[in-house]
């Protein structure tokens, strides 16, 4: 009986540890997704400003921290 309870507690602890790990992995995935989404939004906003003539490609590339050629692909 004591061994059964010990096994059950070990199983529960292992499950909780795994579940917390999964949550951590999912959270990091969400954070990366949000970061990527913000970057895409910044690029889209700069592209719109470039197309309207309010911002140069050079200035936008500097602001975004990317090469001008990469930014031109988004235009």
């Amino acid at each position: 009986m004591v061994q059964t309870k010990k096994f059950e507690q070990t199983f529960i602890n292992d499950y909780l540890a795994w579940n917390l790990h999964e949550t951590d992995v999912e959270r990091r995935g969400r954070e990366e997704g949000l970061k990527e989404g913000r970057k895409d939004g910044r690029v889209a906003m700069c592209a719109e400003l470039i197309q309207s003539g309010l911002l140069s490609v050079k200035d936008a590339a500097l602001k975004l921290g990317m090469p001008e050629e990469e930014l031109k692909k988004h235009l």
Side-chain angles (χ1 to χ4, degrees):
M1 185 73 166
V2 173
Q3 286 181 334
T4 303
K5 288 195 181 256
K6 192 173 186 179
F7 172 78
E8 289 173 354
Q9 190 60 47
T10 302
F11 178 79
I12 291 169
N13 289 341
D14 289 348
Y15 174 77
L16 290 174
W18 176 81
N19 196 23
L20 290 174
H21 172 70
E22 278 299 304
T23 303
D24 185 48
V25 170
E26 290 171 355
R27 182 175 37 81
R28 279 187 268 139
R30 264 193 314 278
E31 288 170 359
E32 289 175 17
L34 289 171
K35 184 178 177 180
E36 188 67 29
R38 284 188 211 105
K39 179 182 174 188
D40 290 346
R42 291 179 68 212
V43 170
M45 178 56 70
C46 285
E48 189 175 316
L49 292 171
I50 291 166
Q51 291 169 349
S52 65
L54 298 173
L55 187 63
S56 71
V57 174
K58 181 179 180 179
D59 290 340
L62 286 172
K63 181 69 175 169
L64 295 170
M66 68 171 51
E68 289 181 44
E69 295 304 317
E70 184 180 339
L71 179 57
K72 288 178 182 178
K73 294 176 185 175
H74 296 280
L75 299 177

